[in-house]
Amino acid sequence: MSTNQLISLLDFLANKAGCMYLSDLRSINSTECRMLKRCIEEISADQFVAREWQDALEYLVDTKTEETNPNILKSQFTEAPWNCR
């Protein structure tokens, strides 16, 4: 997490989705997933460090990556199908 960052990417997403717990992100519906993807598209990739993007990809998309460029990671994250119901 960067020194300017007060919240992790996954916590940011959980907050935006109105989830009480981080684990609730895995049970959001497809409409909520689309809303979160729009939120992600509106933020700068460098708002979160590469590790945050990697964690989000692994947690919500089940994709593990060695990529370290936040711009590429953000793109992978928004283009990938999330595990939504």
Side-chain angles (χ1 to χ4, degrees):
M1 221 175 330
S2 74
T3 55
N4 295 331
Q5 186 179 326
L6 301 175
I7 186 172
S8 74
L9 176 55
L10 286 169
D11 287 334
F12 169 80
L13 293 172
N15 185 20
K16 286 287 186 183
C19 297
M20 182 171 283
Y21 303 103
L22 181 61
S23 60
D24 292 342
L25 273 175
R26 291 187 172 206
S27 63
I28 61 175
N29 64 41
S30 59
T31 301
E32 292 166 322
C33 280
R34 286 190 300 275
M35 183 272 303
L36 286 180
K37 283 187 177 190
R38 283 192 302 274
C39 286
I40 290 295
E41 289 170 354
E42 294 174 3
I43 65 171
S44 172
D46 62 1
Q47 186 171 339
F48 297 96
V49 296
R51 185 71 230 161
E52 295 287 330
W53 291 107
Q54 292 167 337
D55 288 347
L57 272 163
E58 187 171 352
Y59 192 74
L60 290 174
V61 185
D62 289 331
T63 298
K64 200 161 181 79
T65 181
E66 298 297 318
E67 179 62 58
T68 59
N69 182 316
N71 290 306
I72 294 171
L73 289 163
K74 175 185 171 183
S75 178
Q76 290 176 352
F77 188 57
T78 56
E79 293 172 9
W82 292 10
N83 297 324
C84 300
R85 35 178 189 105

